[in-house]
Amino acid sequence: MGGLENKKRQLWIVANWKSNETIKEALEWIDWVGPKLEKRENLKVVVCPTFVALEEVKKAVLVGSYPILVGAQDLSPFDVGPYTGEEAAQLLQGLVDLVLIGHWERRHYFGEDDEMVSHKAQMAQKYGLIPLVCVQEPDARIPLGVNLIAYEPVFAIGSGHPDTPGNAAMVAEELKRRGGGNLAVLYGGSVNAKNVTSFLKQPKLSGLLIGQASLNPLEFLKIAQLSFKFLKN
Ligand code: PGA
């Protein structure tokens, strides 16, 4: 387990646009940020647009050959079938690489519980999508087989008051202890270009989940560029 810390560090910078950005705005963002992003094997830049913008964003990324992965913000806990309004993992295959699961806003506004989160994580894995499961506490339930977690404390989401990097790293350590050596833990909650470095300095953190600050292409690009210097080649 200890040896993993010495492996080449892999970082994730994940933009969660939440319920924002028209298709036009999303494409402007991609076409502005995409060409300016350096391609780095151990840096995964992920953009999670709304479902309506997914297809256009995916096409723009492919056409521009941008080093951007596309993610969905949610998915159905069921397979394809009579589930009005739901997006099954099977239908997202080919369109997205990763899926956010159990974001606090899903849990808080839409009543998702750990059981639902586990079903969604299973569906993602069944269809080869990477589940990025969001949790709020160090003792949160980690669904079976999940290797990517975002710690996002409720008080820090959209508040302008992030957790301290030291505490985020302590929570990451505890989650890793409970979830096994392969677990990568990101931090989310009021991350911006000003504070990003303080989080990336923590070796226990494998990246960031960024909401508000990711909507501004200039700020997001700055965050991605600042993360380059934390990668060993
Ligand atoms: P925020 O959102 O960056 O706007 O605080 C973070 C999150 O939702 O995890």
Side-chain angles (χ1 to χ4, degrees), residues 9 162-166 168-169 187 191-203 205 208 226 230:
R9 191 175 185 197
D163 201 345
T164 62
Y187 167 75
V191 174
N192 56 36
K194 286 203 184 81
N195 61 28
V196 63
T197 302
S198 62
F199 287 101
L200 292 175
K201 274 185 186 158
Q202 300 288 339
L205 295 175
L208 302 156
L226 284 167
F230 291 91

Side-chain angles (χ1 to χ4, degrees), residues 153-172:
V154 178
F155 68 83
I157 299 173
S159 67
H161 302 290
D163 201 345
T164 62
N167 193 58
M170 255 163 54
V171 174

Side-chain angles (χ1 to χ4, degrees), residues 46-200:
V46 186
V47 173
C48 304
T50 61
F51 280 116
V52 276
L54 267 186
E55 192 177 352
E56 291 296 328
V57 165
K58 177 72 178 180
K59 269 195 231 157
V61 165
L62 287 177
V63 169
S65 291
Y66 302 140
I68 295 175
L69 299 175
V70 180
Q73 297 174 18
D74 188 24
L75 87 170
S76 172
F78 300 110
D79 240 311
V80 289
Y83 305 104
T84 302
E86 288 296 298
E87 307 285 349
Q90 195 178 345
L91 304 176
L92 291 168
Q93 261 184 329
L95 206 52
V96 304
D97 305 284
L98 173 148
V99 184
L100 296 182
I101 297 176
H103 189 282
W104 176 76
E105 286 149 15
R106 300 290 324 162
R107 297 178 191 255
H108 182 69
Y109 297 114
F110 305 98
E112 283 189 16
D113 57 10
D114 285 343
E115 186 83 14
M116 173 75 84
V117 167
S118 285
H119 285 303
K120 292 186 174 192
Q122 267 171 25
M123 292 314 288
Q125 290 174 84
K126 182 173 172 188
Y127 291 100
L129 312 176
I130 302 167
L132 168 49
V133 173
C134 304
V135 302
Q136 283 72 52
E137 303 99 19
D139 58 353
R141 187 159 133 193
I142 303 168
L144 209 68
V146 165
N147 290 323
L148 195 58
I149 291 277
Y151 161 60
E152 36 150 42
V154 178
F155 68 83
I157 299 173
S159 67
H161 302 290
D163 201 345
T164 62
N167 193 58
M170 255 163 54
V171 174
E173 189 168 8
E174 173 61 9
L175 287 165
K176 284 158 90 72
R177 189 190 65 74
R178 294 180 43 242
N182 286 331
L183 195 73
V185 182
L186 319 186
Y187 167 75
S190 297
V191 174
N192 56 36
K194 286 203 184 81
N195 61 28
V196 63
T197 302
S198 62
F199 287 101
L200 292 175

Side-chain angles (χ1 to χ4, degrees), residues 218-232:
L218 202 87
E219 176 136 22
F220 184 79
L221 183 68
K222 214 185 265 178
I223 291 171
Q225 287 171 340
L226 284 167
S227 64
F228 287 150
K229 63 174 191 236
F230 291 91
L231 301 169
K232 283 185 214 137

